[in-house]
Amino acid sequence: MLKTIFRNGCRLRPTFNICLSTSLSNRLHTLSPSNTYQNGQVWPHVFVLRRTSILDRHIKDAGQMRTPPPLTPRDIESRVLRICNEYDKIQEAQKNKIALETHFMNDLGLDSLDHVEIIVALENEFGFEIPDADYDKLYTVKAVVDYLKNRMHVVERPKPVVSSASDPRYDEHHH
Amino acid sequence: MSKNLTYFRVLQLYKRIIKLSHSWQAIDHPSKTYEEQKYIRNEARELFRKNKHVTDPTEIEEHIREGEARIELACHYRNPYPRLVNLPTYSLPPSHNRIRFKSEYEIEHISRPIYLKSYEIKEELSDSEEQSKTNQS
């Protein structure tokens, strides 16, 4: 954080490198507009504007823990059904009738190569590799959903995630 | 279909080709990336289905080799289309006033590269025969 301030601050006044570094390191714990004014720089207001914007961004980034929202079983079902519907070999009439109990080969008339393609699309969607040995367990939509639930450890009612994210309601004074 | 080792090898090969088609980037013609991806996927579907009925284990092995050769060539030259071949050396083209013996056909089949195994050899008609056919139709 200090490095970006050095870089951006030094770009403004290249000849005053030395006094910039000493003043900032002395006043590290109390960086505020009033302090920088006392350093006696020629363009204090420009330096202050850049400092507040950089510091604010870094404080906000450090506070927010960007975790994805927790998965529910209904999420997984809807994603699996969406991918099955997007597969181009299935006829239009059968597309909206795909339910949990549809069997890929018997009901939708696909063969083993299509099955491989569907599972590759699921791997891309959920982001992890499904080993070859598990392919012959995944012949119905229900089996796929159960397998994914086990792999991704999805619980019925997920507990709320406790993170150290700064509350946006109380963030107003930074702006 | 019995779930023996070759069955799984074939499915693994198909999976490799499908994954290649997802991550393919065309270097020579960047605007044709989507076309080439579609080409790879459709070629795989067609050729795998065409050879579905093959039961002889040596033939299946050769087809697996063909698939792997196509993958390696496509990755190396960044070009998914196969390089077509013409007649082998020291052979004459078929013409209507010359008998082509069986050995000539065999030599032509043997000298075909492995990556073109699933493609048929097209019999070229000579110009006069083609003209007469187009005149009749």
Side-chain angles (χ1 to χ4, degrees), chain B residues 92-105:
Chain B
L92 294 168
S95 84
H96 64 279
N97 47 12
R98 182 177 70 88
I99 307 171
R100 230 187 171 206
F101 288 105
K102 194 171 139 193
S103 56
E104 253 192 271
Y105 287 107

Side-chain angles (χ1 to χ4, degrees), chain A residues 124-150:
Chain A
N124 286 341
E125 164 81 18
F126 288 96
F128 63 88
E129 280 271 331
I130 298 179
D132 288 349
D134 293 341
Y135 271 51
D136 58 348
K137 301 182 199 155
L138 302 176
Y139 281 139
T140 69
V141 179
K142 186 167 192 325
V144 171
V145 171
D146 289 336
Y147 178 82
L148 287 170
K149 271 195 243 177
N150 285 339

Side-chain angles (χ1 to χ4, degrees), chain B residues 74-119:
Chain B
C75 291
H76 181 79
Y77 293 108
R78 300 316 302 183
N79 182 356
Y81 304 100
R83 185 170 182 223
L84 301 175
V85 292
N86 207 343
L87 291 170
T89 50
Y90 294 114
S91 65
L92 294 168
S95 84
H96 64 279
N97 47 12
R98 182 177 70 88
I99 307 171
R100 230 187 171 206
F101 288 105
K102 194 171 139 193
S103 56
E104 253 192 271
Y105 287 107
E106 282 176 1
I107 288 180
E108 198 179 345
H109 271 277
I110 285 176
S111 68
R112 282 206 110 206
I114 185 76
Y115 59 85
L116 285 179
K117 192 171 156 68
S118 300
Y119 294 89

Side-chain angles (χ1 to χ4, degrees), chain A residues 87-89 111-114 116-117 120-121 123-124 129-132 135-136 139, chain B residues 1 3 7-8 10-12 14-16 18-19 22 41-42 44-45 48-49 52:
Chain A
Y87 189 57
D88 53 357
K89 279 256 181 102
D111 62 356
S112 47
L113 297 173
D114 296 318
V116 168
E117 271 192 61
V120 168
E123 279 183 17
N124 286 341
E129 280 271 331
I130 298 179
D132 288 349
Y135 271 51
D136 58 348
Y139 281 139
Chain B
M1 187 159 309
K3 305 275 182 72
Y7 177 79
F8 286 116
V10 167
L11 287 189
Q12 218 174 14
Y14 190 70
K15 189 166 87 151
R16 253 179 90 183
I18 299 294
K19 288 206 159 152
H22 285 320
R41 203 177 58 220
N42 289 337
R45 282 183 184 173
F48 271 79
R49 263 145 242 244
K52 230 170 141 162

